[in-house]
Amino acid sequence: IKIIVCCLIGYLLGNFSPAYLFGRLKGYDIRKEGSGNVGATNAFLLVGKHAFFVTAALDILKAFAAWKICELLFPALRLAGPLGGAACVIGHMYPALLGFHGGKGLASLGGVALAWHWQWFCFSVWIQRFGWYRCCFLFFICCCSFWLSLSSC
């Protein structure tokens, strides 16, 4: 039952979509405008820079919070944090509240990385900022795979 609770906490936090709220405040249904994704990039395209930074920060924060809340609630369950974080990313990508049409999950994945190893999060942000724009998502996935392989040793 602890595993189910962790997944529910993460998924419900992932359903919170600041990009959708910013779009609604400006009169857009962000799912039907721009790229159609409910994420920070589309918020930037439709609403502006401020919406991008706030949306990205809140998407990172919700996954980080899901990880830490689950860790605090179930300290004996070793996978509580990762389950909550992964469920939050899934909740961001497939939110029930928005008809299972969400964002790409990159910022939420960043929140999981931040909760797991903040150094890798900082490195991935640095890589994205200074030149590897087109391959950053692939790089981020590779880093996550690398973390998984290290944690299983």
Side-chain angles (χ1 to χ4, degrees), residues 46-118:
L46 296 173
V47 185
K49 251 193 294 192
H50 176 73
F52 168 78
F53 287 115
V54 173
T55 299
L58 289 174
D59 284 347
I60 291 168
L61 182 64
K62 70 182 177 185
F64 180 83
W67 181 297
K68 293 301 179 181
I69 288 169
C70 291
E71 257 185 356
L72 289 172
L73 286 177
F74 306 108
L77 183 60
R78 186 171 174 219
L79 292 176
L83 281 171
C88 184
V89 173
I90 292 168
H92 176 80
M93 294 171 67
Y94 305 103
L97 298 175
L98 296 176
F100 300 99
H101 184 80
K104 291 181 223 150
L106 186 59
S108 295
L109 188 60
V112 170
L114 182 61
W116 198 338
H117 292 292
W118 66 269

